Amino acid sequence: MAFSSHVASRLEEQAIELPSWAFGNSGTRFKVFGTPGTPRDPFEKIADAAQVHKFTGLAPTVALHIPWDKVDDYSALRRHAEDLGVALGTINSNTFQADIYKLGSLTHRDEKIRRTAVDHHLECIDIMDATGSRDLKIWLADGTNYAGQDDMRGRQDRLQESLQEIYDRIGAEQRLVLEYKIFEPAFYHMDVPDWGTSYAQCAALGERATVCLDTGHHAPSTNIEFIVMQLLRLGKLGSFDFNSRNYADDDLIVGAADPFQLFRIIVEVLRGGGYGKDGDTAFMLDQCHNIEDKIPGQIRSVLNVQEMTARALLLDRDALDTAQAEGDVLKANGIMMDAFYTDVRADLATYREERGLPADPMKAFAESGYLAQIAADRVGGVQAGWGA
Ligand code: RM4
Ligand code: MN
């Protein structure tokens, strides 16, 4: 058995961007566990990310987070990535860890603090010019904890003004993607809590401002694939931050908590023209591996995305259209479920081998000895962590 040439060629279009921070230590507010061999700087994070691409062929770019991934020479970092067969991707800004941002950043009442936050984004754009990155991704921790703490309307107006100044600076080939999150760190209101707010802000900015959908940033049981459909319909789904969650923003391995949800999301991505050559929606991961090894954690995640993409590509669209047009509820649902339940693992193994990749990337990586190598080599220094 093997995939049809159509499915195989569509799978070849898949590219998933990895987050540099997934390779550093992370944890919960209770404990951050270190691992031998954890990268000490952005160069080592990129070396680890390149392993994921080497064994899967799926992850050609790495996203950076500023200031965590600040370096003196971005051209050197860019060359380092290229030497390892990957490229630098999205630049993520960070206004959630400095004391001055306690009450907000781009929304802050104090003009000086807003200025600092806007300037940070302008610096990120300079970095994008040096790294050759297309996207500036903005996730804001801005919000309040108590009713009456601040004027939500005023904050929204200031957000628009700040974003406009940032947007006006991005180049013709660059984009601004605005990520939303329902809660945390703010617990009463977030200034960008949902896709509608992100959409409204982006629509006011212009064409090159689009929404980033992080799959862990919704209320429980939100129909995420509906949001995917709507944003694609409106031409505003800029990117995904894939991860999975059981409770809140758990940042677990993609597809771990609910593979069926991942399948449904990818079905809508395909339907809406957001996949591969059809569109320009970026598939990124945003994860933190707290207890599992980070590199295999990332390998597992990209493989899960690939596996659900293969299943979604097997969906019999024509039969589904007919069943839907006939109002045949059970048949239509049955066609979806047939695709979801298809075991594509053997076909994917063949697909990989035909492209010179290991049939089982998890096993091949485990046998490569890379983890033991970095544990032996990376002695001394300070391990990078979520926050550095
Ligand atoms: C946030 C958000 C951002 C990511 C940071 C690390 O919750 O998801 O995308 O940059 O975490
Ligand atoms: Mn995210």
Side-chain angles (χ1 to χ4, degrees):
M1 268 230 311
F3 291 126
S4 68
S5 60
H6 170 71
V7 170
S9 80
R10 294 248 62 193
L11 284 173
E12 280 174 359
E13 292 171 39
Q14 188 142 57
I16 303 166
E17 184 160 306
L18 306 183
S20 68
W21 55 100
F23 300 94
N25 293 324
S26 63
T28 65
R29 59 202 166 105
F30 300 102
K31 169 73 179 163
V32 175
F33 296 101
T35 318
T38 292
R40 280 105 20 112
D41 59 41
F43 287 85
E44 291 180 351
K45 290 183 198 173
I46 286 166
D48 288 3
Q51 289 290 307
V52 178
H53 188 50
K54 178 178 168 195
F55 284 89
T56 64
L58 287 169
T61 56
V62 191
L64 301 181
H65 219 297
I66 305 298
W68 301 341
D69 295 321
K70 260 189 162 180
V71 292
D72 292 335
D73 183 351
Y74 289 96
S75 318
L77 192 66
R78 184 181 183 164
R79 279 196 306 278
H80 171 71
E82 283 163 6
D83 288 345
L84 294 165
V86 293
L88 303 178
T90 302
I91 298 297
N92 290 259
S93 63
N94 182 333
T95 58
F96 51 86
Q97 289 184 308
D99 286 338
I100 52 163
Y101 299 133
K102 182 162 83 171
L103 299 180
S105 63
L106 295 181
T107 63
H108 204 287
R109 275 177 182 263
D110 184 334
E111 213 262 311
K112 286 200 293 295
I113 294 177
R114 277 206 314 283
R115 183 75 256 145
T116 307
V118 170
D119 284 346
H120 166 65
H121 287 86
L122 302 185
E123 185 196 346
C124 286
I125 297 169
D126 290 340
I127 294 172
M128 289 162 71
D129 294 338
T131 53
S133 303
R134 180 186 63 168
D135 292 347
L136 170 66
K137 180 158 136 267
I138 305 178
W139 173 73
L140 298 171
D142 295 39
T144 63
N145 273 2
Y146 297 99
Q149 181 188 320
D150 198 6
D151 176 43
M152 294 191 285
R153 166 73 184 260
R155 294 174 72 93
Q156 203 63 210
D157 294 340
R158 291 189 292 273
L159 174 62
Q160 185 65 56
E161 264 174 49
S162 303
L163 287 174
Q164 189 68 55
E165 190 178 342
I166 298 164
Y167 181 78
D168 288 345
R169 181 70 81 86
I170 59 170
E173 304 301 320
Q174 294 172 337
R175 308 189 307 176
L176 181 161
V177 289
L178 181 62
E179 179 174 355
Y180 60 92
K181 183 176 180 182
I182 180 174
F183 83 101
E184 194 196 39
F187 295 119
Y188 170 63
H189 102 280
M190 292 285 278
D191 289 303
V192 189
D194 49 33
W195 74 268
T197 303
S198 177
Y199 175 79
Q201 287 286 348
C202 289
L205 294 174
E207 238 179 48
R208 283 171 294 120
T210 53
V211 179
C212 172
L213 187 162
D214 183 311
T215 51
H217 286 188
H218 308 85
S221 72
T222 296
N223 184 331
I224 295 175
E225 58 271 25
F226 180 86
I227 301 171
V228 171
M229 173 281 292
Q230 187 69 284
L231 287 173
L232 282 169
R233 181 175 163 267
L234 297 167
K236 283 287 189 195
L237 183 59
S239 55
F240 279 103
D241 268 5
F242 281 116
N243 49 58
S244 74
R245 53 81 67 96
N246 291 300
Y247 299 102
D249 187 20
D250 307 353
D251 282 335
L252 297 173
I253 285 174
V254 184
D258 188 350
F260 183 39
Q261 180 188 61
L262 180 59
F263 169 81
R264 299 190 312 263
I265 288 172
I266 296 175
V267 166
E268 286 306 326
V269 172
L270 290 166
R271 163 70 177 88
Y275 178 78
K277 293 191 185 112
D278 293 347
D280 53 14
T281 301
F283 274 46
M284 302 189 292
L285 306 187
D286 178 12
Q287 287 182 267
C288 295
H289 302 289
N290 298 347
I291 55 167
E292 65 276 33
D293 282 329
K294 303 157 198 4
I295 301 169
Q298 289 286 284
I299 294 178
R300 171 57 75 211
S301 285
V302 297
L303 293 178
N304 285 351
V305 176
Q306 183 184 45
E307 187 168 336
M308 287 305 143
T309 303
R311 295 196 202 184
L313 286 167
L314 292 173
L315 178 65
D316 187 342
R317 272 268 154 219
D318 294 339
L320 186 63
D321 285 348
T322 308
Q324 289 174 349
E326 287 168 353
D328 195 333
V329 177
L330 293 178
K331 193 168 177 188
N333 178 243
I335 291 165
M336 279 289 275
M337 300 316 291
D338 278 346
F340 173 65
Y341 283 124
T342 309
D343 186 349
V344 293
R345 289 174 295 182
D347 285 357
L348 279 172
T350 309
Y351 167 87
R352 291 184 193 114
E353 274 177 329
E354 284 170 0
R355 281 153 190 82
L357 292 162
D360 182 347
M362 290 293 287
K363 185 161 171 272
F365 176 74
E367 288 169 1
S368 73
Y370 185 83
L371 289 181
Q373 189 63 50
I374 56 174
D377 289 351
R378 295 176 184 169
V379 179
V382 180
Q383 296 193 337
W386 200 86

